Amino acid sequence: MNTAADIQSWIDNYRFVDNGTASRDILFQIVGKFPNHSFTYGPVEPNGYVLSIAGPLITQEFTLK
């Protein structure tokens, strides 16, 4: 996973279970792969999660549902 398109593809194929699972999955699948980036992520509704990334390679907001 190296680009915003890679992250979007992962999100498009993601099966949302609950907020705790989404948090863990984002941490292990995305956050750890982009050093030198800042992240904000958390629940936005009962069945959704927002992920904002800012850094030299990617600056974008994504929504998991």
Side-chain angles (χ1 to χ4, degrees):
M1 193 170 318
N2 299 311
T3 66
D6 293 336
I7 294 170
Q8 188 62 58
S9 177
W10 182 83
I11 288 170
D12 290 345
N13 292 300
Y14 186 77
R15 185 175 159 259
F16 189 90
V17 176
D18 58 48
N19 289 333
T21 302
S23 178
R24 185 193 70 223
D25 291 344
I26 289 169
L27 179 64
F28 289 111
Q29 296 296 321
I30 298 174
V31 173
K33 297 181 181 189
F34 291 95
N36 305 320
H37 285 69
S38 61
F39 298 88
T40 304
Y41 59 101
V44 291
E45 56 189 59
N47 294 319
Y49 221 78
V50 68
L51 165 65
S52 296
I53 303 173
L57 297 175
I58 298 171
T59 298
Q60 190 165 332
E61 184 173 288
F62 302 90
T63 302
L64 287 79
K65 291 187 176 188

